[in-house]
């Protein structure tokens, strides 16, 4: 379409990223080409750095540069609270709210009969291990207010029932709402008003 | 914010691309990290290829891999018609419509007293050269229907008056509309119904 194979392939690949489409991909690629020194080169270097250095934490599923992420490595975050989220975007949303000072467990999705996602695919066995091995006193189920999110929360609550205090985000999370779409204040309010499951 | 410096820098840079914001940048970056082999690595390679191979055509301002772009190099496109556009995105939009078979001249912007953009900054001297040296019989002014676009069209029309047939896109381009936002059918219709300036 641009009559250049590399540009077309780059636009196609950018257009498939979540949140982009063909038009925003074309404009982004033209912008990068116009600003080779200021945008294209630094962006390429950052992608290489991320490809090389970023990995999933073996403990919680968060992203970081070591085998264990900064939050798991920090003794300050070992306050006995463990916040269970669906994915890293939700962990980042929680961190932006700045209210939660414990650790996380990133499931990597939700249980889904339709997509054949069972507990083993979701780091749920590892979650149960962590609750005993890390001296967890409270598990906060910060899953999305979707059907799959709530099914997953109920499953985890059943598994952990009697072993630990279980809470979930309360006030402020709208029905069908996804954490990563909420403003930081809403997340703070929901965390402060969390209730026992 | 993600507690990893490379990820944060990558998100910041992606968020500044046109059409993206912090949220779509975060989702795009997480998607790339999840799909290292399928997305992150090929994307990095394409950015490197584009940085290395893509350059502006010395003749028309289009992008390509040689000193002269494929359209300027093609004898088939030497039909005496020259379409003047503001930027490469507009050239791509014209090419997607598939109707125009001549060559292009990419101005690289519009005249703007406010931003101190004069004819020299816009490849207008080169346009005037091309009209005589390439045996151009018709110049189609396909500039955006904005104040600056139309000011630029009038300036070019004054410069070329008497030397060549001057036309502009007509039917279908809405007032204030930008070419790159229009569907291909609208562009086809506007080109077919072009009128003398
Ligand atoms: Zn971790
Ligand atoms: Zn050219």
């Amino acid at each position: 379409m641009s009559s250049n194979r590399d540009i077309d392939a780059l636009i196609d690949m950018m257009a498939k990223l979540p949140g982009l489409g063909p038009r925003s991909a074309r404009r982004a690629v033209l912008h990068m080409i116009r600003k080779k020194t200021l945008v294209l080169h630094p962006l390429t270097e950052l992608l290489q750095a991320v490809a090389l250095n970023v990995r999933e934490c073996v403990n919680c599923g968060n992203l970081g540069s070591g085998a264990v992420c900064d939050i798991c490595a920090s003794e300050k975050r070992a306050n006995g609270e463990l916040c269970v989220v669906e994915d890293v975007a939700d962990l980042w949303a929680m961190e932006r709210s700045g209210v939660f000072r414990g650790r996380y467990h990133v499931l990597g999705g939700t249980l889904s009969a339709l997509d054949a996602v069972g507990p083993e695919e979701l780091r749920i066995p590892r979650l149960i291990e962590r609750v005993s091995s890390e001296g967890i006193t409270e598990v906060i189920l910060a899953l999305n207010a979707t059907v799959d999110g709530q099914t997953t929360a109920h499953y985890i609550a059943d598994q952990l029932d009697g072993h630990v205090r279980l809470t979930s985000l309360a006030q402020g999370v709208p029905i069908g709402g996804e954490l990563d779409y909420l403003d930081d204040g809403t997340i703070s309010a929901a965390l402060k008003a969390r209730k026992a499951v």
Side-chain angles (χ1 to χ4, degrees), chain A residues 48-124:
Chain A
Q48 285 172 313
V50 165
L52 202 67
N53 302 328
V54 171
R55 47 200 289 197
E56 276 186 358
C57 172
V58 294
N59 195 42
C60 76
N62 184 20
L63 297 172
S65 41
V68 166
C69 76
D70 290 351
I71 294 174
C72 285
S74 165
E75 272 309 310
K76 283 186 190 161
R77 304 294 296 249
N79 67 356
E81 294 176 6
L82 188 65
C83 180
V84 178
V85 290
E86 287 179 24
D87 63 30
V88 174
D90 298 330
L91 185 157
W92 291 349
M94 292 292 298
E95 285 293 283
R96 283 198 300 280
S97 84
V99 171
F100 182 67
R101 302 309 302 156
R103 285 180 179 159
Y104 293 95
H105 195 76
V106 181
L107 294 177
T110 49
L111 293 174
S112 166
L114 213 63
D115 300 324
V117 180
E120 304 291 327
E121 279 78 43
L122 291 183
R123 291 197 191 87
I124 290 178

Side-chain angles (χ1 to χ4, degrees), chain A residues 119-185:
Chain A
E120 304 291 327
E121 279 78 43
L122 291 183
R123 291 197 191 87
I124 290 178
R126 176 86 198 122
L127 169 63
I128 292 161
E129 277 172 42
R130 288 186 69 191
V131 167
S132 45
S133 68
E134 291 185 33
I136 300 299
T137 54
E138 176 179 356
V139 169
I140 301 164
L141 297 168
L143 302 182
N144 291 326
T146 56
V147 172
D148 281 346
Q150 293 311 302
T151 304
T152 308
H154 283 300
Y155 176 86
I156 294 171
D158 280 348
Q159 300 295 307
L160 293 175
D161 191 31
H163 295 83
V164 69
R165 182 173 177 229
L166 283 163
T167 58
S168 64
L169 297 188
Q171 188 198 349
V173 182
I175 304 300
E178 297 193 355
L179 287 189
D180 193 29
Y181 282 87
L182 300 179
D183 64 290
D184 306 348

